[in-house]
Amino acid sequence: MYEVWMDVLMKTELFKNIPENDLKSMVYCLSPMVKEYRKGELVAIEGHKIKGIGLLLKGNLTISKDVIDGTSLIMKKIESGDMFGEIAAFAEKEVWPATVTAHQDSHVMFIPSERIVGLCPTGCIGHKTLLNNMLRIVSNKAINLNEKIEYLSVRSIREKISKYLIAQYKQQKSTTLFLNMNRNEMADFLNVTRPSLSREMSYMKEEGLIDFHRSSVKILNLERISTYLN
Amino acid sequence: MYEVWMDVLMKTELFKNIPENDLKSMVYCLSPMVKEYRKGELVAIEGHKIKGIGLLLKGNLTISKDVIDGTSLIMKKIESGDMFGEIAAFAEKEVWPATVTAHQDSHVMFIPSERIVGLCPTGCIGHKTLLNNMLRIVSNKAINLNEKIEYLSVRSIREKISKYLIAQYKQQKSTTLFLNMNRNEMADFLNVTRPSLSREMSYMKEEGLIDFHRSSVKILNLERISTYLN
DNA sequence: TTAAAACTGTAACAAAAGTTACGAAAAGAG
DNA sequence: CTCTTTTCGTAACTTTTGTTACAGTTTTAA
């Protein structure tokens, strides 16, 4: 019954490190529900009770937050193999924190949360791994959020730029950086306005800290930029 | 052996909803380690491998982050019954994200993470609840962090105050709020300076949006405050 | 190739938030 | 109770950031 989706499931974080054979039997034990949605249909509604985690088997979803004036703000896109609702499903207040909409025709697998945490009656072999995965996923999420907070907690625009450039430097292992965002996106990411960002970058260029042209940035004085980190 | 600590353990989030008798047998199954620390001693060091979650049985701990100039910044205080390291213990990168120091003479119980996730051989009765608790704790943490990000992503102080007050209003289900922070802590939480926060709150008082005295705040015009939410 | 659209830096000005300092009120200690 | 310490609001002033507008450049699409 679920065999069609086995190759998708194998690649998910949730079922990582679980051999295909074990997975096959475990899926039944989790009693998931596969639902189909047409483009534009609502998969989950903000504030409604959440019954379990969602796993996108096929298609595309968007997660959006309702805002007060009736419009909504797209927060994130979900692609095949991605999980959603994993945080809210196990939290105290079991409601969807956002609205999920099918952006294309989609197939979604819902797994009841109590089935994940519940010791299954047949004691299926991979269940321990599953729990480990679930805890790892949620913990990683928390750690990532914590990192983002460090980013946002920074006072000045210069500090934000410095933090961002040094993170890129560590990642790209070079002082000549190619940023994969344009100024607007970068400004959004750092939570500042574009002209303010451009201005500050220009100041830093004047001071000989960096050089840049559009999306390529060259770090000229790493030490001095580092002093802005803390 | 662990009976001395049973009353503390009963009150922790980790062992919530587990009857005392079940807890007594389960504790052995978790094979925890109780360590004693003198005031000033290091309980855990930032960057070192984390072997399990910590549970403070008695005393006081401080969690601090090393900063570049050799000093350190106190992030949080841990009191009797509190848990720490629960996020890092289950995350991909299993290292302490901060340094933990005994602020007073303290007793700490460490529980190996694999004992929590591992199905215990004797199949002790409360283990399912324990896992539920653990997932709930970590998920709640993630949700709280997410909430904090929403505060930090907001541009103006007035929006931050409004968001915060409305969150408190929903939680306390009353327009007369008692905040469990002083101004300094609130300013830190919202990532602004105290005088700026006070000033903005005074403006809001002048405009008839709120009234306040120290840690008690009364929401006078919920609708108008709500318009700042977006 | 060429016209339209999108991206980027810059500048003048406005608004918001930070800094510093101080006195009054509240809380805590003896 | 009195003295000390902490918390808090306020105000003058400075700094930073946002706003708006515009022109040059680059990219896109016909």
Side-chain angles (χ1 to χ4, degrees):
Chain A
M1 180 180 175
Y2 301 118
E3 253 100 50
V4 205
W5 304 113
M6 216 43 81
D7 51 337
V8 185
L9 296 181
M10 286 294 291
K11 289 175 192 152
T12 61
E13 270 295 305
L14 185 58
F15 296 119
K16 194 174 170 178
N17 297 324
I18 298 177
E20 187 163 4
N21 279 337
D22 296 346
L23 180 55
K24 272 180 187 164
S25 57
M26 197 190 335
V27 170
Y28 287 91
C29 157
L30 292 173
S31 67
M33 196 166 50
V34 177
K35 285 196 177 179
E36 246 182 284
Y37 297 90
R38 293 251 157 220
K39 180 175 175 173
E41 272 190 286
L42 289 172
V43 178
I45 300 172
E46 184 174 343
H48 283 213
K49 180 141 176 57
I50 180 168
K51 58 239 164 249
I53 62 172
L55 234 148
L56 181 60
L57 299 169
K58 191 189 148 191
N60 269 108
L61 308 177
T62 55
I63 297 188
S64 56
K65 202 91 176 163
D66 299 338
V67 287
I68 230 156
D69 56 5
T71 64
S72 68
L73 183 68
I74 290 179
M75 308 278 287
K76 202 181 160 193
K77 289 179 180 173
I78 300 291
E79 298 182 346
S80 167
D82 290 349
M83 197 171 14
F84 59 98
E86 72 273 19
I87 303 297
F90 295 103
E92 206 96 42
K93 196 181 163 197
E94 295 177 34
V95 296
W96 285 98
T99 294
V100 184
T101 314
H103 191 241
Q104 297 172 9
D105 293 2
S106 300
H107 292 249
V108 177
M109 176 179 276
F110 289 101
I111 303 175
S113 17
E114 67 269 19
R115 283 292 173 146
I116 292 188
V117 77
L119 314 179
C120 54
T122 56
C124 62
I125 199 102
H127 211 118
K128 183 180 165 180
T129 309
L130 182 71
L131 281 167
N132 241 318
N133 287 346
M134 199 62 231
L135 264 170
R136 191 189 62 243
I137 290 166
V138 179
S139 299
N140 280 338
K141 191 108 178 185
I143 286 200
N144 286 338
L145 291 173
N146 212 43
E147 270 175 37
K148 181 158 189 182
I149 285 180
E150 280 192 31
Y151 229 106
L152 292 174
S153 302
V154 156
R155 305 265 166 189
S156 65
I157 293 186
R158 179 163 299 208
E159 280 178 271
K160 292 185 180 190
I161 296 172
S162 301
K163 260 204 170 183
Y164 177 66
L165 290 182
I166 292 209
Q168 287 297 311
Y169 162 70
K170 283 183 181 167
Q171 197 179 303
Q172 300 187 25
K173 300 184 206 312
S174 162
T175 53
T176 306
L177 309 173
F178 296 92
L179 314 180
N180 53 356
M181 320 183 188
N182 61 31
R183 278 291 170 286
N184 239 320
E185 293 169 327
M186 185 174 166
D188 273 354
F189 181 69
L190 299 181
N191 202 39
V192 296
T193 60
R194 186 188 56 76
S196 296
L197 175 60
S198 278
R199 173 175 49 203
E200 194 61 38
M201 286 179 71
S202 294
Y203 290 160
M204 291 176 79
K205 187 192 255 183
E206 273 179 30
E207 295 175 31
L209 297 173
I210 57 175
D211 193 11
F212 66 91
H213 178 70
R214 304 224 140 194
S215 290
S216 56
V217 179
K218 193 168 175 56
I219 296 179
L220 298 177
N221 195 328
L222 193 59
E223 291 77 32
R224 244 175 354 116
I225 291 177
S226 299
T227 63
Y228 292 114
L229 281 198
N230 245 340
Chain B
M1 183 179 172
Y2 302 116
E3 254 100 50
V4 206
W5 304 113
M6 215 44 79
D7 51 336
V8 185
L9 296 181
M10 286 294 290
K11 290 175 193 151
T12 61
E13 271 295 306
L14 184 59
F15 296 119
K16 194 174 171 178
N17 297 325
I18 297 177
E20 186 163 4
N21 279 337
D22 295 347
L23 179 55
K24 272 181 186 163
S25 57
M26 197 190 334
V27 170
Y28 287 91
C29 159
L30 292 173
S31 65
M33 196 167 50
V34 177
K35 283 196 180 180
E36 245 182 286
Y37 297 90
R38 293 251 157 219
K39 180 175 176 173
E41 271 190 286
L42 289 172
V43 178
I45 300 171
E46 184 174 342
H48 283 213
K49 182 144 175 55
I50 180 168
K51 58 242 166 244
I53 62 171
L55 234 148
L56 181 59
L57 300 170
K58 192 191 147 189
N60 269 110
L61 308 177
T62 55
I63 297 188
S64 55
K65 201 92 175 162
D66 300 337
V67 288
I68 230 160
D69 55 7
T71 64
S72 69
L73 183 68
I74 291 177
M75 309 278 287
K76 203 180 160 193
K77 288 179 181 174
I78 301 291
E79 297 182 346
S80 169
D82 289 350
M83 197 171 15
F84 58 98
E86 72 273 19
I87 304 297
F90 295 102
E92 207 96 42
K93 196 182 165 196
E94 295 176 34
V95 295
W96 286 98
T99 295
V100 184
T101 315
H103 191 241
Q104 296 172 10
D105 294 1
S106 301
H107 292 248
V108 177
M109 175 180 277
F110 289 101
I111 304 174
S113 15
E114 68 268 19
R115 282 292 173 146
I116 292 188
V117 77
L119 314 179
C120 55
T122 56
C124 61
I125 199 102
H127 211 118
K128 182 180 164 178
T129 309
L130 181 72
L131 281 167
N132 242 317
N133 287 345
M134 198 62 231
L135 264 170
R136 192 188 62 244
I137 290 166
V138 179
S139 297
N140 280 338
K141 191 107 180 187
I143 287 202
N144 286 338
L145 291 173
N146 210 46
E147 205 183 326
K148 178 150 194 183
I149 285 180
E150 284 193 26
Y151 290 130
L152 293 176
S153 304
V154 156
R155 289 277 161 78
S156 69
I157 294 186
R158 178 163 298 208
E159 279 179 272
K160 291 184 181 191
I161 296 172
S162 301
K163 269 205 168 182
Y164 178 66
L165 289 182
I166 293 211
Q168 287 296 312
Y169 162 70
K170 284 184 181 168
Q171 198 179 302
Q172 301 187 24
K173 301 185 205 311
S174 162
T175 53
T176 307
L177 309 172
F178 296 92
L179 314 179
N180 53 356
M181 320 182 188
N182 60 30
R183 280 289 172 289
N184 241 319
E185 293 168 329
M186 185 175 168
D188 273 354
F189 181 70
L190 299 180
N191 202 40
V192 296
T193 60
R194 186 190 56 78
S196 296
L197 175 59
S198 277
R199 172 175 49 199
E200 194 61 36
M201 285 179 72
S202 294
Y203 289 161
M204 291 177 79
K205 186 192 258 185
E206 273 178 32
E207 295 175 30
L209 297 173
I210 58 174
D211 193 12
F212 66 92
H213 178 72
R214 301 229 142 191
S215 290
S216 57
V217 179
K218 191 166 175 58
I219 296 179
L220 298 177
N221 194 328
L222 193 59
E223 292 77 33
R224 240 166 6 108
I225 291 177
S226 300
T227 62
Y228 293 114
L229 282 198
N230 267 356

